[in-house]
Amino acid sequence: MKRVAHGEPTYIKPPDAGGFFMPFSAIDAFIKADYHSAVFQEAAVSAKKVIIIGAGLAGLSAGCYSRMNGYDTRIYEHHSKPGGVAASWRRGDYLVDGGIHFITGYKNGTDLYNIYRQLGVADPANFAAMKSYGSFIDIEQGRQLDIPVNISELALEMKMLSPADAPLIDDLVAAVHAFSGKDLATYGQLNPPELTSGMDRLTAIWKMRGLVKYMSGRYAKSMAEYTSLMQSRWLADCLNNLFTPHVPVWFVVMLLALAGDGQISYLARGCKDFVRRIEKRYKDLSGELTYSATVEKILVQNDCAIGVRLADGTEDYADYVISAGDIYNTVFHLLDGRYIGKKLQNKFDTSELSLPYFVASFGVKRTFENENVFNTIFLKKPLQVGDREVRQLFLRIFNYSSHFAPEGKSVIQVEFETEWVYWNNLKQTDLSKYTAEKERLAAEILDNLDMLYSGVSQAVDVRDIATPCTFSHYTLNHQGAPEGWGLTALNFKAESRRTLEGLSNLYLAGHWVSGGVPGVILSGRQAVQLICAKEKKTFFTRTT
């Protein structure tokens, strides 16, 4: 068995270290980062090691903040490249982006913008402003509703469509106006719950006191419940699909407010570039990263995480372990079902997981300059996928940047929620039927797109089809669940801890802990905050 121990590093005595000793690797990192002497001296005392499982957004974030705080770090990633579910890949001349749909809080002056600066991704060239929230298209009825980012314009359009629903429309618009102008993207997430005192919570509530009523009562219900009494079912369906029908009303209100404030953008170069820039930031901070390295077990001694064992038998030891991947895999496989605790076990027993996706991407020899980026299509005839009928498709058109396709060409992408069991059983029992089913659905999707864009199926250069099994293979996400827990009003209320009951020196990060791009990035930061708190160290950040 191979063993890679932390070992005894070579030490020197730096001239201004106040009598402390520091390893060469830490000195090199801090000279490059040009930290002030207080940080230098504190890091000199505690050059400990952190192992991070997973090089998705959470793992890379944890790596960057670990290095900023003087810890030796190594990230182990199952895949051959970073990103996790924030994935993109090349198909011929086309860039297929299967990850991040949009980014919030990307303009200077927000807490999240400062986080982007710390991670090296705040360059304005990374972003393309959202000019429309999208369109809803009913093929059978031949109708369309566009969603402008200006909430007053949207209110007028909705009232013209359904005057009888004016009271609920006015209620929704009032809530959006209340949220407008607020720095919301990191609300309540800058510190982990373990380090948030009762007074901290009261202070946060006081700062957001004008919004309290809009985050409780009917606004805490799901969008489906909120719109259930609307006279226009078409308008209700559109509002329900502004995100998903199951999220709380206040969450959709917050997104509409952020869009109206110009704080939502697309990634102009795709999520691959976004991820690679954070990876570069981590490496510039002298962080170490190993790809194609699957962690098989988390090593534990006396109820304390002490390192990891890889699939090839290599063991690596550290003072702390951050699992920035799938929590189900972490608890039931890497830790053999130990340390789950009653609360987390109950959540696995009772809470829904987020449904995985079927994603069909096409490189086509035509452009879509005047089309909205996001479009929800209500089908004339549903797609049959196993026992489930798919009645609507989410269409994404990559027309906001030239980075996705050659001149005169485009990438378009269709996705829908589906069932893990159906696809997994199909792949395990009959690979040829699994492949045929992928091709059948891709063909039916193109038939529907032809109804909107005549002849588009004949303009296809390349196609790429991903099922829940595809995402599970590359990310190890349990049942292909891209966001971990289901995005329901109940799960939004639940507080996820960053630790496991009875196990010390292991911290959790990623989608299962906190969802969405901001939450995932902040969860990596929070894991390091908890390590610093345990070490009784001041938590430091640094911008590029």
Side-chain angles (χ1 to χ4, degrees):
M1 180 179 289
K2 304 175 187 177
R3 301 177 71 85
V4 181
H6 188 193
E8 295 293 329
T10 304
Y11 287 85
I12 62 170
K13 181 178 180 182
D16 298 313
F20 298 124
F21 288 84
M22 189 177 192
F24 279 112
S25 59
I27 290 175
D28 178 61
F30 279 89
I31 289 174
K32 287 181 180 179
D34 192 28
Y35 275 68
H36 55 75
S37 59
V39 186
F40 185 94
Q41 290 183 16
E42 188 163 4
V45 178
S46 59
K48 293 186 176 181
K49 183 175 179 181
V50 178
I51 287 175
I52 299 163
I53 304 170
L57 292 177
L60 291 172
S61 170
C64 288
Y65 286 109
S66 292
R67 291 301 301 134
M68 291 179 205
N69 286 275
Y71 294 100
D72 291 333
T73 61
R74 180 173 291 279
I75 300 175
Y76 287 107
E77 167 57 39
H78 164 72
H79 196 10
S80 59
K81 56 186 178 181
V85 294
S88 56
W89 51 93
R90 282 278 171 193
R91 289 292 180 266
D93 294 331
Y94 299 91
L95 177 63
V96 177
D97 196 324
I100 300 168
H101 289 76
F102 58 78
I103 289 286
T104 60
Y106 74 103
K107 288 185 177 179
N108 198 353
T110 67
D111 286 338
L112 194 52
Y113 176 81
N114 290 332
I115 301 293
Y116 294 151
R117 287 184 65 203
Q118 292 159 14
L119 297 178
V121 289
D123 183 353
N126 291 341
F127 309 106
M130 176 184 279
K131 298 178 181 178
S132 168
Y133 199 87
S135 296
F136 293 90
I137 304 167
D138 185 339
I139 293 179
E140 183 173 16
Q141 300 296 324
R143 56 189 174 182
Q144 178 170 330
L145 175 64
D146 296 321
I147 308 295
V149 294
N150 183 295
I151 191 62
S152 298
E153 292 179 14
L154 175 59
L156 287 174
E157 289 195 26
M158 291 192 294
K159 288 180 181 179
M160 289 178 64
L161 175 64
S162 181
D165 288 315
L168 187 140
I169 293 169
D170 287 337
D171 183 63
L172 187 69
V173 169
V176 174
H177 282 311
F179 274 74
S180 297
K182 307 291 194 305
D183 187 3
L184 301 170
T186 60
Y187 175 66
Q189 299 184 86
L190 282 178
N191 297 312
E194 290 89 343
L195 299 180
T196 303
S197 66
M199 183 57 68
D200 291 335
R201 290 185 171 88
L202 288 174
T203 301
I205 291 171
W206 176 252
K207 287 181 179 178
M208 306 295 281
R209 57 192 179 278
L211 300 180
V212 171
K213 78 171 187 174
Y214 294 108
M215 300 185 78
S216 57
R218 62 182 178 276
Y219 306 103
K221 295 180 178 179
S222 71
M223 280 298 295
E225 291 178 276
Y226 183 75
T227 62
S228 62
L229 299 178
M230 292 189 77
Q231 298 298 307
S232 170
R233 292 318 306 160
W234 161 243
L235 181 55
D237 285 342
C238 293
L239 292 178
N240 288 342
N241 287 279
L242 284 171
F243 200 78
T244 76
H246 314 296
V247 298
V249 176
W250 66 259
F251 181 77
V252 175
V253 165
M254 180 185 72
L255 288 179
L256 290 173
L258 286 167
D261 289 340
Q263 282 291 357
I264 297 183
S265 79
Y266 316 112
L267 289 175
R269 300 186 181 101
C271 64
K272 178 180 180 179
D273 183 83
F274 187 77
V275 168
R276 287 293 187 185
R277 287 170 183 263
I278 302 177
E279 178 199 45
K280 180 180 184 301
R281 172 65 168 151
Y282 172 65
K283 289 181 176 179
D284 286 347
L285 289 166
S286 297
E288 297 179 332
L289 201 157
T290 304
Y291 289 115
S292 300
T294 303
V295 173
E296 185 179 71
K297 294 294 175 188
I298 293 173
L299 303 176
V300 176
Q301 186 176 54
N302 298 326
D303 296 325
C304 177
I306 61 169
V308 299
R309 180 187 302 128
L310 306 182
D312 68 358
T314 301
E315 291 185 352
D316 193 4
Y317 298 92
D319 299 280
Y320 297 96
V321 175
I322 298 174
S323 182
D326 184 272
I327 286 186
Y328 186 93
N329 181 57
T330 298
V331 172
F332 291 103
H333 297 154
L334 305 187
L335 289 167
D336 298 319
R338 297 173 292 166
Y339 308 109
I340 185 170
K342 291 183 179 179
K343 288 185 178 180
L344 186 55
Q345 181 66 67
N346 181 65
K347 190 160 188 176
F348 274 115
D349 291 340
T350 61
S351 293
E352 298 176 18
L353 303 182
S354 62
L355 284 173
Y357 291 96
F358 179 97
V359 182
S361 304
F362 307 97
V364 296
K365 294 176 286 188
R366 64 180 289 179
T367 58
F368 303 84
E369 292 94 342
N370 299 317
E371 298 295 320
N372 283 324
V373 174
F374 297 146
N375 305 272
T376 299
I377 304 169
F378 295 88
L379 302 177
K380 186 175 182 178
K381 179 183 178 182
L383 303 181
Q384 191 68 40
V385 186
D387 295 331
R388 184 185 181 92
E389 285 191 342
V390 176
R391 297 183 174 276
Q392 60 202 51
L393 303 175
F394 179 71
L395 169 65
R396 185 180 179 192
I397 301 175
F398 294 82
N399 58 0
Y400 50 87
S401 168
S402 61
H403 281 76
F404 300 98
E407 186 176 357
K409 300 181 180 183
S410 305
V411 172
I412 57 176
Q413 185 178 86
V414 171
E415 64 183 52
F416 58 81
E417 291 183 335
T418 186
E419 300 286 348
W420 163 259
V421 172
Y422 172 72
W423 289 102
N424 187 53
N425 287 347
L426 197 59
K427 186 175 183 182
Q428 296 299 323
T429 58
D430 194 328
L431 191 57
S432 63
K433 286 185 178 179
Y434 170 80
T435 302
E437 180 71 340
K438 291 181 4 179
E439 294 300 328
R440 176 188 72 85
L441 287 169
E444 291 189 20
I445 286 169
L446 284 173
D447 288 342
N448 279 281
L449 292 182
D450 271 335
M451 297 181 194
L452 298 176
Y453 310 108
S454 180
V456 71
S457 62
Q458 302 304 311
V460 172
D461 250 349
V462 299
R463 66 178 67 195
D464 182 90
I465 307 167
T467 75
C469 299
T470 311
F471 293 106
S472 177
H473 173 73
Y474 288 110
T475 67
L476 299 182
N477 276 21
H478 178 54
Q479 297 189 1
E483 285 95 21
W485 305 116
L487 299 177
T488 65
L490 183 62
N491 281 339
F492 267 82
K493 292 179 183 178
E495 182 179 85
S496 295
R497 308 293 285 181
R498 277 67 175 159
T499 54
L500 292 176
E501 189 175 315
L503 181 62
S504 63
N505 292 13
L506 174 78
Y507 299 94
L508 305 172
H511 273 299
W512 294 82
V513 172
S514 184
V517 175
V520 168
I521 288 174
L522 288 168
S523 72
R525 182 181 190 266
Q526 291 167 355
V528 181
Q529 287 177 285
L530 289 167
I531 291 174
C532 288
K534 181 165 186 178
E535 298 271 322
K536 295 182 170 53
K537 287 179 50 174
T538 302
F539 175 75
F540 287 99
T541 63
R542 176 175 171 80
T543 58
T544 56

